[in-house]
Amino acid sequence: MEKSKKEKLKNAGWNVGSVADFLNLSNEETAIIELRLALSEGVKNIRIQSNMTQTGFASKLGTSQSRLNKIEAGDASVSLDLLIKSLVRSGLNVTDIANIMVGKEKVPSNVQTI
């Protein structure tokens, strides 16, 4: 948010902060949420790059369309383990997944998607 907008909100009596501040999240909780979102976005980006529907991509991953929808949305019911397995099944290696985790790449260019 722009600094001038923050100042206007503060002057109007609003509290301005992050989601982590609002929810009183620890640094660890914030990091896990960011990790989950990066991994789920990685799965979605690979599906989109593959020009596949959720149904088709889910079939290739060995899961259902509704489960893939939850994976791509970063749903809390999806474990980090399942997110990583989905990326591995998509053809990514450890380095590719690490790059997604730290925000270096959305989809590695050298990966042939399924």
Side-chain angles (χ1 to χ4, degrees), residues 74-86:
D75 190 277
S77 68
V78 176
S79 68
L80 289 172
D81 185 53
L82 181 57
L83 287 166
I84 293 169
K85 282 181 183 178
S86 298

Side-chain angles (χ1 to χ4, degrees), residues 26-101:
S26 68
N27 290 338
E28 294 83 8
E29 291 167 323
T30 302
I32 289 172
I33 290 169
E34 289 173 358
L35 175 61
R36 178 182 302 281
L37 291 174
L39 294 172
S40 62
E41 184 178 318
V43 172
K44 183 176 182 176
N45 289 335
I46 290 169
R47 177 184 62 80
I48 290 169
Q49 181 176 315
S50 299
N51 292 321
M52 297 184 80
T53 64
Q54 280 189 340
T55 303
F57 197 65
S59 177
K60 296 285 186 186
L61 292 179
T63 192
S64 66
Q65 179 276 327
S66 61
R67 193 67 176 152
L68 179 59
N69 187 14
K70 288 181 179 185
I71 289 169
E72 289 184 359
D75 190 277
S77 68
V78 176
S79 68
L80 289 172
D81 185 53
L82 181 57
L83 287 166
I84 293 169
K85 282 181 183 178
S86 298
L87 291 167
V88 170
R89 288 181 185 151
S90 298
L92 275 63
N93 61 36
V94 173
T95 303
D96 299 328
I97 295 169
N99 285 335
I100 288 172
M101 291 168 62

